[in-house]
């Protein structure tokens, strides 16, 4: 076995763990896959002859990569929507195994059921809270509280002292303890159920299925960029809104569930370029009462997004 073969085998043993760390830090499957891919590239270019604990070394690298991505995200005041941003979950059902050593190419996911389990293990409510933390707080909390990394190592990733890392984790922990209540978590679950049903109906192209999900007095609003006539759009009533959704059903196959400013919505980002976001409002009866269609670039840049598996 060559050194490259050995590294590839060792990396494969750590891949699920690394992906879990990156996902909990980044809140996006495709971003996590990008971080894991970057970690593999750094491994192949590094001298690891003196590394005693390869798993710990890889965890440190993927954490640093994820931290840089988080800081870049905050610097731009927007979620990254690069060329492979939506691909991990969009292509999961048809992704082929990686050819040769190293992780799967960026943009190819694993088993869709596995991705759903990974996302659900974090919980929508926790993702919402994590999104309110600073990158350093998020990293300190995730690495220490979720993966039991000592503060000496957390501090090394952050470039801070162990005590500073401890304080960051403590601040994050206080926010997490004030996380959404069980009622809020249940509400997010209901939002996800409604959004998923709407996306499925839109993909199916059946107006009757769409109408069944809409409140009789539902209102759809769209900004000028989203409107085919180039000016703000307002539609009222289940039948009218369903016809409008049906007219845009060609986008549904490339759309994805996402957290939009802490609420479950739908994003359309072909080839990774964010174009449209749907914010949905649903009543206790799980009927959609309002849909806000956002396509204006300035409005899109102000949104906080975290991709979710269907």
């Amino acid at each position: 076995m060559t050194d490259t073969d050995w590294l590839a085998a060792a990396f494969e043993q750590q891949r699920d763990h690394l992906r879990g760390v990156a996902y909990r830090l980044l809140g996006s499957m495709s971003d996590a896959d990008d971080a894991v891919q970057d970690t593999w590239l750094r491994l192949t270019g590094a001298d690891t002859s003196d590394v005693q604990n390869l798993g710990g070394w890889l965890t440190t690298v993927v954490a640093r990569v994820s931290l840089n991505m988080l800081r870049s995200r905050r610097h731009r005041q927007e979620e990254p929507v690069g060329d492979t941003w939506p691909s991990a979950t969009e292509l999961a059902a048809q992704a082929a195994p990686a050819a040769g050593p190293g992780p799967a190419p960026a943009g190819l996911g694993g088993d869709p059921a596995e991705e759903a389990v990974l996302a659900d293990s974090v919980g929508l409510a926790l993702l919402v809270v994590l999104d309110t933390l600073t990158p350093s707080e998020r990293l300190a909390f995730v690495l220490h509280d979720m993966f039991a990394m000592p503060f000496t190592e957390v501090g090394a990733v952050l470039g801070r002292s162990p005590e500073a890392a401890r304080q960051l984790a403590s601040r994050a922990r206080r926010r997490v303890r004030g996380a959404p209540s069980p009622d809020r978590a249940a509400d997010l679950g209901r939002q996800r159920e409604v959004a998923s049903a709407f996306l499925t109906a839109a993909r199916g192209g059946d107006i009757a299925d769409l109408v069944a999900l809409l409140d009789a007095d539902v209102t759809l609003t769209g900004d000028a960029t989203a409107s085919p006539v180039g000016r703000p759009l307002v539609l009222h009533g289940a039948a009218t809104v369903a016809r409008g959704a049906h007219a845009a059903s060609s986008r549904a196959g490339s759309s994805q569930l996402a957290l939009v400013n802490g609420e479950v919505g739908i994003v359309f980002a072909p080839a990774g370029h964010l174009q449209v976001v749907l914010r949905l409002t649903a009543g206790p009866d799980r009927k959609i009462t309002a849909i806000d269609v956002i396509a204006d670039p300035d409005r899109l840049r102000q949104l906080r997004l975290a991709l979710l598996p269907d």
Side-chain angles (χ1 to χ4, degrees), residues 107-255:
L108 294 181
D111 184 273
E114 175 196 345
E115 297 205 349
V117 169
L118 180 58
D120 289 340
S121 71
V122 178
L124 293 182
L126 182 55
L127 277 179
V128 171
V129 177
L130 291 178
D131 198 42
T132 68
L133 305 178
T134 68
S136 296
E137 288 171 343
R138 184 164 180 159
L139 185 136
F141 174 77
V142 168
L143 292 185
H144 180 268
D145 287 46
M146 291 186 173
F147 292 97
M149 180 179 281
F151 282 120
T152 52
E153 297 180 24
V154 176
V157 174
L158 291 168
R160 302 194 185 191
S161 68
E163 183 55 34
R166 187 187 303 275
Q167 292 175 0
L168 287 167
S170 178
R171 281 207 303 266
R173 199 176 300 120
R174 286 196 295 271
R175 292 196 196 181
V176 171
R177 285 173 179 165
S181 65
D183 288 344
R184 170 61 174 152
D187 181 53
L188 286 167
R190 177 176 57 82
Q191 291 176 24
R192 183 172 186 165
E193 178 184 329
V194 171
S196 180
F198 181 81
L199 186 54
T200 298
R203 287 170 176 168
D206 191 314
I207 291 182
D209 289 343
L210 288 166
V211 169
L213 295 169
L214 302 173
D215 184 85
D217 296 321
V218 63
T219 298
L220 180 147
T221 58
D223 56 41
T225 308
S227 171
V229 296
R231 59 177 180 271
L233 174 71
V234 180
L235 301 178
H236 294 289
T240 303
V241 170
R243 285 195 294 271
H246 181 267
S249 62
S250 61
R251 295 199 298 248
S254 298
S255 295

Side-chain angles (χ1 to χ4, degrees), residues 8-32:
F11 190 91
E12 285 301 316
Q13 292 180 348
Q14 298 291 330
R15 191 212 297 245
D16 288 345
H17 166 73
L18 298 175
R19 196 161 176 254
V21 171
Y23 180 77
R24 284 157 176 79
L25 287 171
L26 297 167
S28 162
M29 287 294 182
S30 61
D31 284 350

Side-chain angles (χ1 to χ4, degrees), residues 21-81:
V21 171
Y23 180 77
R24 284 157 176 79
L25 287 171
L26 297 167
S28 162
M29 287 294 182
S30 61
D31 284 350
D33 286 336
D34 287 346
V36 171
Q37 174 74 4
D38 196 348
T39 301
W40 164 252
L41 294 175
R42 295 185 185 212
L43 173 63
T44 58
D47 179 4
T48 57
S49 57
D50 293 331
V51 174
Q52 300 297 316
N53 180 356
L54 185 62
W57 186 90
L58 289 170
T59 300
T60 297
V61 172
V62 80
R64 285 174 174 162
V65 170
S66 299
L67 179 62
N68 288 338
M69 293 172 71
L70 283 172
R71 286 171 171 167
S72 175
R73 188 185 293 178
R74 289 298 177 96
H75 177 71
R76 293 196 309 271
Q77 291 298 307
E78 61 182 271
E79 293 292 313
V81 287

